[in-house]
Amino acid sequence: MAHACGCHHHEASAGTTSVTAAGAYRADQKVEDVARSPAALEALKAMGINHCCGGHLSLAEAAAAAGVSVETLLDELRRAAAATA
């Protein structure tokens, strides 16, 4: 299934994941893996992280591209996970 941006990136990576326990996010995780959680996806969007075309980036790389610190991004992801727990 193609996404609105047409990158088809998620099609190639379907079925692969490195998601850790809820709230246990790491800077080296890929955006596309973290975005599989609805709460994390909303946090990524709120931080200006492109989860589709930028899905191949690590959280650290995506944070830098969005102009936020990786610590801030990780904190937001953890808050989102805790709010849904």
Side-chain angles (χ1 to χ4, degrees):
M1 167 165 139
H3 292 272
C5 69
C7 73
H8 305 286
H9 182 77
H10 288 277
E11 291 176 7
S13 63
T16 62
T17 183
S18 65
V19 176
T20 60
Y25 296 103
R26 300 181 325 268
D28 65 333
Q29 284 179 281
K30 297 290 184 191
V31 170
E32 65 188 352
D33 293 335
V34 171
R36 295 178 194 276
S37 159
L41 177 58
E42 289 307 312
L44 291 169
K45 288 179 182 179
M47 299 294 293
I49 306 286
N50 184 327
H51 68 284
C52 188
C53 295
H56 64 286
L57 298 174
S58 69
L59 292 176
E61 294 166 329
V68 298
S69 73
V70 69
E71 292 83 11
T72 299
L73 175 58
L74 293 172
D75 286 344
E76 287 302 313
L77 289 167
R78 290 177 188 128
R79 273 191 271 274
T84 61

